[in-house]
Amino acid sequence: MSRKLRAGIVGGTGMVGQRFIALLENHPWFEVTAIAASGRSAGKTYEESAKGRWKLSTPMPENVKNIMVQDASKVEEVATDVDLIFCAVDMKKDEIKALEEAYARTGTPVISNNSAHRWTPDVPMVIPEINPEHLEVIAQQRKRLGTETGFIAVKPNCSIQSYVPALHALKEFNPSKVVVSTYQAISGAGKTFADWPEMLDNVIPYIGGEEEKSEQEPLRIWGSVQEDGIVKSESPTITSQCIRVPVADGHMAAVFVSFEKKPSKEEILNLWNSFKGRPQELELPSAPKQFITYFEEENRPQTKLDRDIENGMGVSTGRLREDAIYDYKFVGLSHNTLRGAAGGAVLIAELLKAEGYIQPKQ
């Protein structure tokens, strides 16, 4: 590549926006050249706008401190000098849809962390190792938006990454029924313990909207590209409960699953340990070498010990056992703001670049 692609971060002052900025520091393919946020932050340097609000344990990268924050609503201005945009804004769903489509119509690829377009039929919602073929729907989307180069691609909900990869690796046995309970970190709500002290020594058995996402989004991931867009799969049947727990980062899932054709435990472990997807084939910069890691120890995976596996881009499993009601049960774990949010979106962008969907603007 003759030069790095210029990336804009829309919603750059929030927690996920900060993750994008940290992940793209020294990235071999992308560099942050523009940051946009609400009108309150516009006109300040990024260092000034994020003062007192930097939530990551690592320091703010030097190369973004003096970037002047732009008004995210001034789409043409922000899009002028970037080759792609990562979007992580806190707005109403209809407003996000309109904003992302406006950016796409400027001819700019938009990789979104938001949920607004996850069910738009011609917008691919991608876990790169699982459904890279869904990128084919971009051609339909471009026709609808009237652009040759712009489009929107989205990443799915952070919690499903803790169990969907493990189930996908076993698709040849046709999982039919899934019960999953997720135990989700406070960073999934954009919080730290400093600004959410009520979560210390506490568990909240409800996260708005999460259960529907956990039950429905995997079916879209496993859906098929058809003439009118992506049509979701009819199986497996998934039921879930989503619980907020006093953990900084990392979403854990307790999973029960039945199959149409029951595999052996050895077959499951072999498929998990050997599973590779398109990112591994292409050796993308952010791709984990080992996508799914199985722990033999009875007390693993643990959130604190294992969420950062493969730089936070791997998925951990453990406690695989036969079950008295379902065929098997196991535990899954993923890092919710890396694999589940900003890191997953960066990996999507790498896949899009490698497959020719993102090109430098002339």
Side-chain angles (χ1 to χ4, degrees), residues 88-212:
V89 293
D90 184 12
M91 298 164 61
K92 294 177 181 176
K93 188 167 286 192
D94 287 346
E95 295 172 343
I96 295 172
K97 281 187 173 182
L99 182 70
E100 291 181 345
E101 289 193 357
Y103 275 108
R105 285 191 173 100
T106 68
T108 307
V110 178
I111 296 88
S112 176
N113 188 74
N114 306 304
S115 65
H117 273 295
R118 286 182 190 160
W119 289 94
T120 303
D122 59 12
V123 172
M125 180 173 72
V126 179
I127 297 176
E129 286 89 349
I130 294 177
N131 62 328
E133 70 280 2
H134 283 198
L135 298 181
E136 296 168 11
V137 82
I138 287 172
Q140 299 175 33
Q141 184 193 150
R142 282 172 166 166
K143 288 179 183 176
R144 176 174 65 85
L145 296 178
T147 174
E148 293 184 3
T149 56
F151 61 86
I152 304 160
V154 300
K155 61 147 234 45
N157 183 262
C158 52
S159 67
I160 75 170
Q161 328 252 347
S162 59
Y163 58 93
V164 166
L167 293 174
H168 181 77
L170 310 176
K171 284 291 282 181
E172 66 187 81
F173 298 102
N174 294 325
S176 56
K177 294 180 181 179
V178 177
V179 177
V180 59
S181 293
T182 59
Y183 304 90
Q184 301 186 202
I186 64 172
S187 56
K191 305 282 189 180
T192 65
F193 286 115
D195 48 31
W196 201 2
E198 296 84 0
M199 275 307 303
L200 287 166
D201 192 31
N202 196 21
V203 168
I204 299 176
Y206 173 73
I207 307 172
E210 285 291 294
E211 286 162 4
E212 181 183 5

Side-chain angles (χ1 to χ4, degrees), residues 191-258:
K191 305 282 189 180
T192 65
F193 286 115
D195 48 31
W196 201 2
E198 296 84 0
M199 275 307 303
L200 287 166
D201 192 31
N202 196 21
V203 168
I204 299 176
Y206 173 73
I207 307 172
E210 285 291 294
E211 286 162 4
E212 181 183 5
K213 294 172 185 175
S214 294
E215 293 167 359
Q216 294 299 315
E217 289 189 15
L219 301 179
R220 191 168 197 258
I221 293 289
W222 289 318
S224 58
V225 178
Q226 299 185 14
E227 285 186 10
D228 53 354
I230 296 165
V231 177
K232 76 174 188 177
S233 174
E234 293 300 316
S235 63
T237 301
I238 304 173
T239 185
S240 72
Q241 292 197 95
C242 298
I243 299 168
R244 188 74 72 192
V245 294
V247 166
D249 295 302
H251 287 353
M252 183 172 282
V255 184
F256 298 78
V257 55
S258 287

Side-chain angles (χ1 to χ4, degrees), residues 310-339:
E310 294 279 354
N311 297 314
M313 292 298 288
V315 174
S316 302
T317 55
R319 303 207 70 212
L320 176 66
R321 294 154 291 152
E322 290 197 60
D323 184 65
I325 299 174
Y326 292 82
D327 287 336
Y328 287 98
K329 52 193 171 188
F330 66 90
V331 172
L333 173 69
S334 62
H335 196 302
N336 56 297
T337 66
L338 290 171
R339 166 55 74 166

